[in-house]
Amino acid sequence: MTKIDFDNTQLPSPSYIVDERLLKRNLEVLDSVQQRTGASILLTLKGFSMWSTFPLVREYLKGVTSSSLFEARLGFEKMGKEVHAYQPAYSDHEIDEMLSYVDHIVFNSFNQLKKFKDKVKNVKGKNIEIGLLVNPQYSETETALYDPCYAHSRLGITLANFKPEELDGVDGIHFHSLFEQNSDILEHTIKVVEDKFGEYIHKMKWLNLGGDHHITRLDYDIEKLIRIINQLKETYNVEVYLEPGEAIALNTGYLTATVFDIVTNGIEIAILDTSAECHMPDVLAMPYRPQIIGAGLPGENAYTYRLGGITCLADDIIGDYSFEKPLQAGDKLVFLDMPHYTMIKNQMFNGLNLPSIVTFNKEDGFKVVSQFKYEDYTNRLF
């Protein structure tokens, strides 16, 4: 996407904007997979928890998957459909409340299964299904920070530590090894999972293929995904779940920011009212370079700038970009693909306020869903 078809100049700056038209497009793609396979696709709350959009999301998806007590409660209260949960370990003082929200709970070890199984099975008025996360010890993810299957990972049960004799009461197998990848990588992974755990999947009610299937990306091979799902259902007679994570909100929105100043120190540096450290932390953690509408690579256009954030962190640098015209204080920049993970992981280092949250649709135009204030900063610190 190289342009936006609406005027954002009057919005608070900085702002996250979610275009509900694009979100609906993604949901329709995901629902087509559900319709053609009978699989259930879940919204991964760690990737996108903007609950003001849940009335739209619930029209298409089967529920949510959570990684904490607060996420489980959010899914229960705001989505009102299936709630799945997985954590590397559950705390004694949270487990009872957690079980009041969830329909499926996945354990990371046989120790956790043994500790909590009876409690799960004895929740009154609910039939909570139990799963185990397995680690196939296979991944094609290059960034260790996002690779659940790197050497010595704490996530999931390896074949060497799998205990078939303790599967009583277990309803499903869950694995996760992808990161922003296509269905060919899933195909490779499935072969390893079947080789290691296939005999146990035959005994299960469901199989969860985990997250980070980039289903809504334009080059994603949906036909291959559908073949994989249907073959798994035929082979093992199981329900299939997917948690595609960022695919739900992929390419559905923006972060708008304003140029505050231009300084020179060997290169031209534009200081913005946003921050890589606070508002787009994966820029520093991965790292990655977000695209900006109307900007190119360094030297591609006539005027190149290093874009810096407003915090005092020395390396609060977003990246180097080139523009057709010189940047000036007051200019607006629009960063692409910002709703997933970025909105979840932002924070208030330096006391920097969070971007406002805005939705857009053709019928209603812009709606400022949330603006943050001093108390949002102080109430976290006490």
Side-chain angles (χ1 to χ4, degrees), residues 16 278-279 281 341-348 354-355 380:
Y16 297 115
C278 293
H279 302 158
Y341 285 102
T342 293
M343 292 173 65
I344 296 293
K345 297 174 73 173
N346 62 17
Q347 45 95 2
M348 303 178 84
L354 301 174
R380 298 171 62 188

Side-chain angles (χ1 to χ4, degrees), residues 98-105 119-121 123 126-130 169 171:
M98 172 76 80
L99 295 177
S100 72
Y101 304 135
V102 304
D103 303 287
H104 285 212
I105 187 165
K119 185 180 284 287
V120 174
K121 291 302 183 182
V123 175
K126 297 183 73 174
N127 180 26
I128 301 173
E129 297 189 3
I130 291 176
D171 302 289

Side-chain angles (χ1 to χ4, degrees), residues 34-65:
Q34 292 183 138
Q35 296 299 327
R36 295 178 61 188
T37 64
S40 295
I41 295 181
L42 307 172
L43 167 63
T44 306
L45 292 174
K46 67 181 178 183
F48 186 67
S49 296
M50 188 176 169
W51 54 268
S52 62
T53 66
F54 285 6
L56 174 61
V57 175
R58 78 164 63 96
E59 292 181 22
Y60 296 91
L61 303 188
K62 300 300 178 69
V64 303
T65 182

Side-chain angles (χ1 to χ4, degrees), residues 6-172:
F6 49 73
D7 179 11
N8 69 313
T9 57
Q10 301 306 308
L11 292 176
S13 182
S15 290
Y16 297 115
I17 305 171
V18 172
D19 189 329
E20 293 182 348
R21 300 169 300 176
L22 303 178
L23 180 60
K24 182 177 180 181
R25 180 196 64 190
N26 281 358
L27 291 167
E28 288 172 344
V29 171
L30 295 169
D31 190 43
S32 72
V33 174
Q34 292 183 138
Q35 296 299 327
R36 295 178 61 188
T37 64
S40 295
I41 295 181
L42 307 172
L43 167 63
T44 306
L45 292 174
K46 67 181 178 183
F48 186 67
S49 296
M50 188 176 169
W51 54 268
S52 62
T53 66
F54 285 6
L56 174 61
V57 175
R58 78 164 63 96
E59 292 181 22
Y60 296 91
L61 303 188
K62 300 300 178 69
V64 303
T65 182
S66 62
S67 303
S68 67
L69 175 62
F70 289 172
E71 284 188 349
R73 179 175 175 178
L74 179 69
F76 179 81
E77 292 182 350
K78 302 300 185 182
M79 182 70 81
K81 303 185 80 171
E82 284 188 29
V83 178
H84 295 227
Y86 163 75
Q87 288 182 220
Y90 296 91
S91 77
D92 292 333
H93 72 273
E94 290 184 348
I95 188 67
D96 289 328
E97 186 180 354
M98 172 76 80
L99 295 177
S100 72
Y101 304 135
V102 304
D103 303 287
H104 285 212
I105 187 165
V106 175
F107 293 109
N108 190 63
S109 71
F110 281 95
N111 292 333
Q112 288 271 291
L113 172 66
K114 183 177 180 179
K115 181 176 183 178
F116 293 119
K117 182 172 71 172
D118 288 345
K119 185 180 284 287
V120 174
K121 291 302 183 182
N122 289 315
V123 175
K124 291 183 179 180
K126 297 183 73 174
N127 180 26
I128 301 173
E129 297 189 3
I130 291 176
L132 291 173
L133 182 73
V134 299
N135 181 348
Q137 298 176 283
Y138 176 87
S139 173
E140 297 183 36
T141 297
E142 296 180 357
T143 305
L145 182 65
Y146 301 102
D147 182 2
C149 298
Y150 73 91
H152 312 302
S153 171
R154 76 192 191 287
L155 305 177
I157 305 165
T158 63
L159 182 61
N161 294 288
F162 201 78
K163 301 175 181 179
E165 69 278 8
E166 296 185 16
L167 288 176
D168 182 53
V170 176
D171 302 289

